[in-house]
Amino acid sequence: MDLVPLRSVPGAGLLPGPDQVVAAASNVAHKVLYGGVADLRPMPRTLIDDGTLREVYHYRPAGHVQEKGDPVLLVTPLAAPSSCYDLRRGCSLVEHFVTEGRPTYLVEYGEVSFRDRNLGMEHWIDEVVPTAIREVSKHAGGRPVHVIGWSLGGIFSMLTLADKRSGELPVASLTVVGSPIDISLVPLLAPFRPLLNFFNGKGPITKGYQMLGGAPKPLVKWAFQLTAFQKLVTKPIALATHVDDREFLAQVEAVDHFTANMIAYPGRTFGQLYHRFAKGNQLATGTFELDDRTIDLADIRVPVLVFGGSTDGIAPVPAVHAVVPLLKGAEEVRFEVVPGGHLGMLTGRAARTTTWLAMDEWINQWSTDNKPAVPIGTNRKRRTSSAASRSLAK
């Protein structure tokens, strides 16, 4: 039976009840004896393809479940560990898909070093993501792939599917989670925007990443923590007032573990993101200049589901929603607002009954299996409706 924290009971006194004291003592003991209360074991997986900063994994089916249906490919953003999709047992999108019997795959990039400093965005858009899609389809018996990308992984996925150079890729649908398209709509960057343009490409940031060969891991970790500065400051108080809430403590531990394993950015890629996204805001127009070609998001033909997090500071809802009118060629476009911040909307505790179920509905709707489509927003298990969603049928 779940214990109800005293703070959630209206009219309750300030003193904790006996059940709370027992729960708090158990959590503290577990922390001391075992190092924490979160189950951080990653879901078992097998490497099926690899290359330069490209590792494609297949998650092993659960013992009691038979794989069925089209495969899902999870595209990891640069600098973030793949645990964004597999945060902890009981709060893992990978675990959710695997236990449902869905063939689940992931592409990640391994450790980035100084020798990778000359790799630009072309490497991911021309080679990593297209190759991963083809290898997943091949491994799954030639079935089309449902691509899911979080944050920068969503941007790389969109640019890959919009790039005519990629050719025909076996993709059934695309899901984009928390990917900011119009950077001018990110309040977090507003105070720094005048400084970004002041040095005209010769400022300390440019010189710094050129000298270091990219953005090192400690800097990436610090930047991610800075986006949740308020939560970082109030964290000790939150832990003290939730010491009896094992789920809360487990989630905090899992997020800390995720943040501690951030990965560096290659120099050239970081430079492109800095100058073209943060400063130039190129994608807000729907087009992106890459080498000798222009990639237009209007060239995406597959159905696209877009998620915005209601409390996301890195990718606020307006910045994410800006992509919807740009996807003019997609078979269908849907936009959903779900609870949570940048990571929480993907793998927070509320995501289990919101984001994940919306993904299930979407994938079922565009599956090649002979089953009736399930209109998104009709699943009664979801705690939030799709009233905030927008559908643009093509």
Side-chain angles (χ1 to χ4, degrees), residues 65-89:
V65 176
Q66 183 177 3
E67 282 191 331
K68 58 184 181 299
D70 297 338
V72 168
L73 171 62
L74 305 171
V75 180
T76 310
L78 278 175
S82 61
S83 59
C84 60
Y85 294 112
D86 189 20
L87 194 65
R88 65 180 176 93
R89 295 296 176 95

Side-chain angles (χ1 to χ4, degrees), residues 161-162 164 168 297-304 328-332:
L161 297 185
K164 295 180 180 178
E168 291 293 328
L297 296 182
D299 289 329
I300 296 177
R301 302 301 178 200
V302 301
V304 183
K328 301 174 183 177
E331 185 172 353
E332 181 178 343

Side-chain angles (χ1 to χ4, degrees), residues 43-44 57-62 64-74 93-106 136 140 143-148 172-173 175 356-369 371 374 379:
M43 294 294 290
Y57 291 92
H58 171 232
Y59 286 93
R60 300 171 197 166
H64 60 287
V65 176
Q66 183 177 3
E67 282 191 331
K68 58 184 181 299
D70 297 338
V72 168
L73 171 62
L74 305 171
L93 179 58
V94 170
E95 183 182 26
H96 169 73
F97 281 148
V98 169
T99 54
E100 291 290 321
R102 197 175 300 282
T104 306
Y105 299 78
L106 175 138
V136 166
R143 299 180 74 106
V145 181
H146 296 275
V147 179
I148 298 175
S173 74
T175 296
W356 299 358
L357 296 186
M359 288 181 180
D360 289 340
E361 296 168 4
W362 179 256
I363 293 170
N364 288 338
Q365 178 179 344
W366 296 103
S367 174
T368 56
D369 291 339
K371 60 177 69 173
V374 180
N379 191 321

Side-chain angles (χ1 to χ4, degrees), residues 208-227:
Y209 77 73
Q210 289 176 343
M211 178 181 67
L212 297 173
K217 294 169 64 173
L219 179 62
V220 174
K221 175 182 177 181
W222 175 81
F224 186 84
Q225 291 175 324
L226 184 63
T227 63

